[in-house]
């Protein structure tokens, strides 16, 4: 599993786009609405909502915003019904791309996503065309500093039934199955660990390398996709240079 490290590769585009667009609160707000609709407004009994609230706090989302989103989904305020849709396709150089969306208008979203692929020499495919190239994993990212003893960390992760611990230099990545993600996170947080980020994500089984021109075109496509209001996450298997 250590070959699936790529912490900086996974985060680079998303962090850059969120900082530039300032839309992260809106995106998380939609996730909160969907989580409440699916499991109710009480985080104590809704694990998915607990996870999204944790994500909101990691991104410094004000508590007022969090509570407003919960109230919207609970019917206390006017709420939009969002539907989860996933698109799959190919970028330049045979790269694989998965686009996760939350939308109140499927036709609009499908047209916007297709246009982003077409404009940058990609092609939208059928559902399942590239998802088999990715593994679903929970990732808990912990700063690697002098206060962390790697052996003790591994012991704690074994107790939490995590799948792997990866020393990625400046951070540790703790990998879990999606089903054990919430339990492992809560056990480790109970032991005093404070994570930089926690999420269930898609990790490529293998990465592809693009030449400079291809990489430029590919990143423009990803930026275009991430700028769409309905797009929550973009996953891909392109190996990004360190400076990216």
């Amino acid at each position: 599993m250590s070959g699936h490290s790529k912490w900086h590769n996974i985060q680079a585009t998303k962090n850059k786009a969120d900082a530039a667009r300032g839309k992260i609160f809106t995106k998380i707000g939609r996730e909160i609405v969907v989580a409440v609709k699916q499991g109710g407004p009480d985080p104590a009994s809704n694990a998915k909502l607990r996870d999204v609230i944790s994500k909101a706090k990691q991104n410094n989302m004000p508590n007022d915003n969090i509570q407003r989103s919960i109230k919207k989904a609970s019917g206390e305020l006017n709420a939009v019904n969002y539907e989860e849709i996933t698109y799959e396709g190919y970028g330049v150089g045979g790269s694989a791309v998965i686009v996760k969306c939350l939308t109140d208008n499927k036709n609009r979203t499908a047209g916007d996503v297709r246009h982003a692929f077409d404009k940058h020499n990609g092609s939208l495919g059928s559902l399942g065309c590239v998802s088999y190239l990715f593994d679903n994993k929970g990732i808990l990212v912990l700063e690697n500093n002098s206060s962390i003893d790697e052996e003790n960390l591994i012991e704690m992760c074994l107790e939490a039934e995590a799948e792997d611990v990866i020393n990625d230099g400046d951070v540790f990545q703790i990998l879990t199955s999606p089903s054990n993600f919430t339990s492992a996170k809560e056990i480790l947080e109970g032991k005093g660990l404070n994570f930089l980020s926690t999420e269930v994500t898609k990790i490529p089984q293998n990465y592809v390398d693009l030449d400079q021109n291809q990489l430029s075109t590919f990143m423009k496509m990803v930026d275009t996709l991430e700028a769409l209001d309905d797009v929550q996450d973009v996953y891909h298997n392109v190996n990004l240079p360190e400076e990216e």
Side-chain angles (χ1 to χ4, degrees):
M1 188 63 67
S2 59
H4 289 177
S5 181
K6 302 291 185 179
W7 159 243
H8 298 289
N9 195 95
I10 293 168
Q11 289 297 101
T13 310
K14 182 164 61 176
N15 287 350
K16 179 183 66 176
D18 287 341
R21 291 181 282 111
K23 292 184 177 180
I24 187 65
F25 293 170
T26 300
K27 291 178 182 290
I28 293 177
R30 289 189 180 191
E31 291 186 49
I32 291 174
V33 169
V34 171
V36 172
K37 293 282 188 182
Q38 292 178 348
D42 184 4
S45 58
N46 186 340
K48 183 173 181 179
L49 179 58
R50 288 201 304 275
D51 291 339
V52 180
I53 290 175
S54 175
K55 178 180 178 179
K57 291 179 177 179
Q58 289 163 6
N59 285 277
N60 300 312
M61 186 173 181
N63 192 59
D64 286 348
N65 294 46
I66 296 172
Q67 294 304 318
R68 192 179 304 117
S69 295
I70 292 174
K71 288 179 179 178
K72 280 184 179 180
S74 302
E76 296 181 38
L77 299 172
N78 292 331
V80 176
N81 289 321
Y82 296 109
E83 183 175 355
E84 294 181 278
I85 301 178
T86 299
Y87 300 94
E88 301 181 29
Y90 304 92
V92 293
S95 51
V97 183
I98 299 176
V99 185
K100 178 182 174 183
C101 301
L102 289 176
T103 180
D104 60 343
N105 186 323
K106 292 190 294 184
N107 290 334
R108 178 192 66 219
T109 305
D112 289 345
V113 171
R114 183 178 300 278
H115 178 70
F117 274 88
D118 291 344
K119 183 179 179 181
H120 299 96
N121 301 324
S123 60
L124 199 59
S126 59
L127 193 62
C129 68
V130 299
S131 57
Y132 70 94
L133 299 172
F134 296 77
D135 294 321
N136 291 320
K137 294 292 177 184
I139 301 184
L140 312 171
V141 180
L142 181 69
E143 184 179 3
N144 185 359
N145 56 41
S146 57
S147 67
I148 301 296
D149 180 86
E150 187 168 356
E151 289 188 7
N152 288 339
L153 176 62
I154 291 173
E155 289 181 6
M156 287 190 286
C157 291
L158 286 173
E159 183 178 335
E161 298 184 352
E163 293 185 351
D164 200 0
V165 179
I166 300 169
N167 186 336
D168 201 20
D170 54 349
V171 297
F172 287 104
Q173 291 183 84
I174 300 163
L175 303 186
T176 76
S177 66
S179 61
N180 191 48
F181 170 74
T182 301
S183 173
K185 178 169 72 72
E186 292 176 351
I187 289 173
L188 294 172
E189 286 177 338
K191 294 180 179 295
L193 297 184
N194 296 309
F195 295 105
L196 297 174
S197 72
T198 60
E199 64 178 336
V200 175
T201 188
K202 296 182 183 296
I203 302 178
Q205 296 167 4
N206 295 288
Y207 288 82
V208 300
D209 293 309
L210 302 180
D211 63 34
Q212 187 172 356
N213 289 334
Q214 289 174 325
L215 184 62
S216 175
T217 299
F218 181 80
M219 294 311 299
K220 288 177 182 176
M221 185 181 79
V222 172
D223 287 344
T224 300
L225 287 167
E226 290 189 322
L228 297 175
D229 289 340
D230 297 334
V231 171
Q232 293 295 112
D233 289 293
V234 179
Y235 308 102
H236 62 78
N237 65 346
V238 172
N239 194 27
L240 301 180
E242 190 70 26
E243 62 268 19
E244 290 289 339

